[in-house]
């Protein structure tokens, strides 16, 4: 049996007040960080930034260590982590997402939910994420990413 895999990009977005940006996903009924499929001719970092803007109205910048640079090659911002998970939808059925997760720093924007995909957007204090209906790994991932980002902002 062939495993179907899709590449997705997501963003754990922090503001200057120790809060993370979450969206309430319509199909899943849970709080998540923004993200989605990588479009053709788009690199994963561009996809993460686009998804944040589309789903929430927030513009942001990627937080990362300075990447290797050389004029002979294009270097892309590295993700914070890469997760693989099983998902299911009515069109494709069961398949896998390889999710490149970036950490972002919010720059500007007024919260505006993209109602086709998310029912709400919210800045949540990092300490409060564990009390929400989220995927099991999300509270720990957000807390770890917040600690990592503090040394790189």
């Amino acid at each position: 049996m062939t495993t179907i895999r899709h590449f997705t990009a997501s963003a754990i977005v922090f503001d200057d007040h120790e809060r993370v940006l979450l969206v309430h996903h319509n199909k899943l009924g849970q709080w998540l960080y923004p993200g989605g499929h990588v479009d053709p001719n788009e690199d994963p970092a561009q996809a993460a930034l686009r998804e944040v803007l589309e789903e929430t109205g927030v513009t942001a910048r990627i937080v990362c260590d300075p990447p290797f640079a050389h004029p002979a090659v294009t270097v892309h911002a590295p993700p914070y982590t890469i997760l693989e998970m099983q998902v299911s939808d009515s069109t494709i059925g069961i398949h896998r997402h390889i999710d490149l997760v970036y950490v972002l720093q919010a720059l500007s924007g007024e919260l505006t939910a993209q109602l086709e995909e998310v029912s709400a957007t919210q800045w949540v204090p990092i300490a409060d994420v564990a009390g929400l209906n989220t995927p099991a790994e999300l509270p720990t991932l957000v807390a770890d990413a917040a600690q990592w980002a503090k040394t790189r902002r």
Side-chain angles (χ1 to χ4, degrees):
M1 182 173 164
T2 302
T3 301
I4 298 171
R5 288 189 171 96
H6 291 173
F7 286 95
T8 59
S10 299
I12 302 171
V13 185
F14 297 109
D15 67 4
D16 291 328
H17 307 288
E18 308 242 345
R19 299 181 303 178
V20 64
L21 181 58
L22 297 180
V23 297
H24 196 267
H25 195 274
N26 287 340
K27 284 198 290 190
L28 299 176
Q30 292 182 311
W31 288 96
L32 308 169
Y33 39 76
H37 287 85
V38 178
D39 287 345
N41 298 317
E42 180 178 56
D43 72 50
Q46 291 169 331
L49 292 165
R50 175 185 52 77
E51 288 287 348
V52 169
L53 182 60
E54 285 179 0
E55 291 182 5
T56 72
V58 171
T59 59
R61 69 170 180 82
I62 294 175
V63 176
C64 67
D65 292 326
F68 166 81
H70 192 278
V73 295
T74 300
V75 178
H76 296 277
Y80 171 67
T81 193
I82 301 172
L83 307 174
E84 185 171 346
M85 67 210 72
Q86 183 169 295
V87 296
S88 181
D89 66 36
S90 59
T91 305
I92 299 165
I94 295 173
H95 61 287
R96 311 275 305 166
H97 279 181
I98 298 175
D99 190 29
L100 291 86
V101 182
Y102 291 85
V103 172
L104 276 58
Q105 175 67 42
L107 298 175
S108 64
E110 184 174 329
L111 289 184
T112 309
Q114 179 190 41
L115 298 177
E116 299 82 35
E117 292 185 34
V118 301
S119 60
T121 59
Q122 184 175 334
W123 287 107
V124 177
I126 295 164
D128 295 350
V129 172
L132 298 175
N133 179 18
T134 68
E137 74 284 354
L138 192 135
T140 302
L141 182 58
V142 166
D144 288 354
Q147 289 302 314
W148 177 86
K150 282 183 183 181
T151 64
R152 288 162 177 84
R153 288 188 189 170

